[in-house]
Amino acid sequence: MSSQADDRTGAVNDNLVEAMNSGVLAIDADGRITAWNPRAQQLLGYTREEVLGRDVHGLLHRDGRGCVPLERDCRLRRALRTRVPGHGDGENLVHRDGRLLVCSWSSAPIYAGGPSPAETEVAVGVVLVFQDAAERFVIEDELRDRMAGMRRAISRLELVAEITTVLSSTLNEDEVLRRLVRLVVPALGDWAEVDLLISDGRVERVAATHRESTPEEDAALEGPLPPLPRTPRGSLARVLRGGMTVVTGGDASESHPDEPLDAAQRALFRVMGADSAISAPLAARGEVYGALTLGFSRPGHGYGTDDRLVIEDIARRVGLVVANARLFAAQRNTAEAMQRSLLPPLFQPGDLQFQARYLPATEASRLGGDWYDAFELSDGATGLAIGDVVGHDLQAAARMAQVRNMLRALAWDLTAPPSTVLERLDGAMDAVSEAELATAVFARVERAGESSWRLRWCNAGHLPPLLVTRDGGTQFLEEHGMLLGDPELAGARPDGVRALPPLSTLLLYTDGLVETRDSDLTDRLTGLRRHSAQLARFPLSDLCDRLIERMRPSREDDIALLALRIPG
């Protein structure tokens, strides 16, 4: 019965081997083939009769060049020596027609005593199972290529996102472009530069860098370039004039030495060691503002279709930022010119010294209603004023001019205390001005004797003036009343009187000097006192400049500063 069962088991095993979808062969202790299933014949082309008794190594095993490897290196027979099952990928077996079949395989030793041999028992053979792995390798290679492509795409999307964040962080054109070239190198090239059209055909290189350069070397590459030619031939001129992307090589065959702009560009190529380059226009709203050029110094690198799409996308984003930055600059220059035109020339009487400073907000849209004034009054005294009309736009600036002019007229006409002048101004604003609310300080500087001076003032909701003596003593003139422009706000505006010591300094200022989002106003006013005391003996012009510098205003709002120095 036992013998019959063994025969039946052997028959079943033989049938399984014959039906397997993998090639199966067996070798004896000398490496000769003793078994060969139909799938092995399909894969390698040999019939069973052709292979039985032949050496597996010499018949089938090949290296990558198609040669028989050294027998000691034969992995297919290793299980005979080591008695350890093996497996592998990428092994070459030769087909009957001579072509190589890339296989994955596994092997297991055969023992005379069955599958659980004694430790000293010698393997009498090896069974080898193998499959054609070429198709799988192709699929895996394609998958690796796709994954690498996806990683590159994700990396570039992340780069574009980072560039977008940088571009939106500031409207300072030069700063944005210098940060841009540092971001795209080395991600998209070994070097990069940005050239801008300035005006009248002038071209300027505003940023350049190489992956191995220093900041000092980068700065040396910046500066003006030859003008844009009317008939472009060189790569940079074609991009700037025609708004098209141009891919070039680093060799001199594409150069146009008689075109100064191209000669300058080729000089840069030599400095960068350019082997290939791509230039894309910085364009927005139908206008070309400049060009972004990237390149490789290393041979064998270039720019394909995908690279071009990414670089053109970046260039479009940069072009929009440059367009916005220039629009912002134009708006700001117009707004600042208007604001300054509304501020009067500073009155300079014989004995008193005056200095004034006006700094517009860094955002063009924050043009405000800050003003200062100093003028002679009808009785010979000197009038001082500083104020701020509510709002941050052109209308606020226009209303500021209305309020300032009304205050001048009322102060000249009324030989009256400052509180009376502000009361009349309050009524006039309600009746004939479009200004809604304003704060102001109006003061009279009067002689109190042959060599002494006195200040009379009234404060309508404004920050307190600061008096600084020559020895560094400071005092805020705290008297204040209701702001201007709201008839429902009732309450007196008291007058203040204070002697002005010789060589003392009186400072009137607007909130842009002392107010910031992240600081307490009391702390900022304390800082104003401290810095003013330290600067008390400085010439008045230096005092104003250094005070603004030390206060480090946020520039989120306009700044007006009026300073008076009493003679000694």
Side-chain angles (χ1 to χ4, degrees), residues 253-421:
S253 63
E254 302 179 43
S255 65
H256 301 274
D258 57 335
E259 183 184 283
L261 182 59
D262 190 60
Q265 185 74 344
R266 291 291 161 173
L268 176 72
F269 281 15
R270 289 191 293 272
V271 171
M272 297 298 192
D275 186 74
S276 61
I278 181 172
S279 297
L282 308 181
R285 307 183 185 106
E287 183 174 353
V288 177
Y289 293 94
L292 168 64
T293 301
L294 296 105
F296 284 103
S297 303
R298 294 165 291 168
H301 292 74
Y303 293 98
T305 302
D306 292 343
D307 303 309
R308 179 171 180 158
L309 292 174
V310 171
I311 292 168
E312 287 178 338
D313 182 37
I314 293 172
R316 279 192 294 269
R317 295 168 188 258
V318 177
L320 186 60
V321 169
V322 173
N324 289 338
R326 294 192 176 181
L327 178 62
F328 165 80
Q331 290 176 339
R332 180 179 175 183
N333 291 340
T334 301
E336 184 177 346
M338 178 180 176
Q339 182 85 348
R340 291 188 184 280
S341 70
L342 296 175
L343 297 172
L346 198 60
F347 174 63
Q348 293 289 358
D351 295 328
L352 303 173
Q353 294 182 50
F354 285 100
Q355 287 286 330
R357 299 289 184 271
Y358 170 74
L359 280 73
T362 51
E363 297 180 25
S365 61
R366 299 287 292 176
L367 176 70
D370 293 19
W371 95 90
Y372 60 82
D373 206 355
F375 51 93
E376 186 176 11
L377 298 174
S378 58
D379 60 358
T382 298
L384 304 179
I386 197 160
D388 187 1
V389 173
V390 171
H392 294 95
D393 51 28
L394 291 174
Q395 286 186 340
R399 290 166 183 170
M400 171 272 289
Q402 292 177 351
V403 174
R404 188 205 70 197
N405 292 335
M406 286 191 295
L407 177 58
R408 269 197 165 208
L410 291 169
W412 174 266
D413 185 59
L414 299 172
T415 307
S419 59
T420 301
V421 175

Side-chain angles (χ1 to χ4, degrees), residues 129-352:
V129 180
F130 61 96
Q131 292 177 321
D132 183 355
E135 184 176 353
R136 176 169 62 83
F137 282 178
V138 169
I139 294 174
E140 289 177 352
D141 288 344
E142 290 178 353
L143 181 60
R144 278 193 294 270
D145 290 342
R146 290 178 183 177
M147 292 300 294
M150 289 179 62
R151 285 193 292 270
R152 285 195 300 271
I154 291 171
S155 176
R156 291 187 169 183
L157 286 173
E158 291 173 344
L159 175 64
V160 171
E162 185 177 3
I163 289 173
T164 302
T165 300
V166 168
L167 295 178
S168 61
S169 65
T170 177
L171 283 173
N172 184 312
E173 186 176 286
D174 291 346
E175 179 185 349
V176 162
L177 297 177
R178 289 191 183 101
R179 293 170 67 181
L180 168 69
V181 296
R182 291 194 294 269
L183 279 174
V184 296
V185 174
L188 297 175
D190 294 329
W191 57 273
E193 60 144 343
V194 176
D195 303 303
L196 292 184
L197 280 170
I198 306 302
S199 61
D200 303 326
R202 290 187 295 118
V203 182
E204 184 168 348
R205 184 176 298 134
V206 296
T209 192
H210 190 281
R211 61 189 177 91
E212 296 178 351
S213 63
T214 64
E216 292 76 17
E217 291 170 332
D218 291 344
L221 297 172
E222 299 175 5
L225 297 176
L228 181 64
R230 291 186 178 180
T231 304
R233 290 183 298 153
S235 59
L236 180 58
R238 281 185 286 152
V239 175
L240 295 176
R241 184 70 75 181
M244 65 182 72
T245 299
V246 176
V247 179
T248 60
D251 56 10
S253 63
E254 302 179 43
S255 65
H256 301 274
D258 57 335
E259 183 184 283
L261 182 59
D262 190 60
Q265 185 74 344
R266 291 291 161 173
L268 176 72
F269 281 15
R270 289 191 293 272
V271 171
M272 297 298 192
D275 186 74
S276 61
I278 181 172
S279 297
L282 308 181
R285 307 183 185 106
E287 183 174 353
V288 177
Y289 293 94
L292 168 64
T293 301
L294 296 105
F296 284 103
S297 303
R298 294 165 291 168
H301 292 74
Y303 293 98
T305 302
D306 292 343
D307 303 309
R308 179 171 180 158
L309 292 174
V310 171
I311 292 168
E312 287 178 338
D313 182 37
I314 293 172
R316 279 192 294 269
R317 295 168 188 258
V318 177
L320 186 60
V321 169
V322 173
N324 289 338
R326 294 192 176 181
L327 178 62
F328 165 80
Q331 290 176 339
R332 180 179 175 183
N333 291 340
T334 301
E336 184 177 346
M338 178 180 176
Q339 182 85 348
R340 291 188 184 280
S341 70
L342 296 175
L343 297 172
L346 198 60
F347 174 63
Q348 293 289 358
D351 295 328
L352 303 173

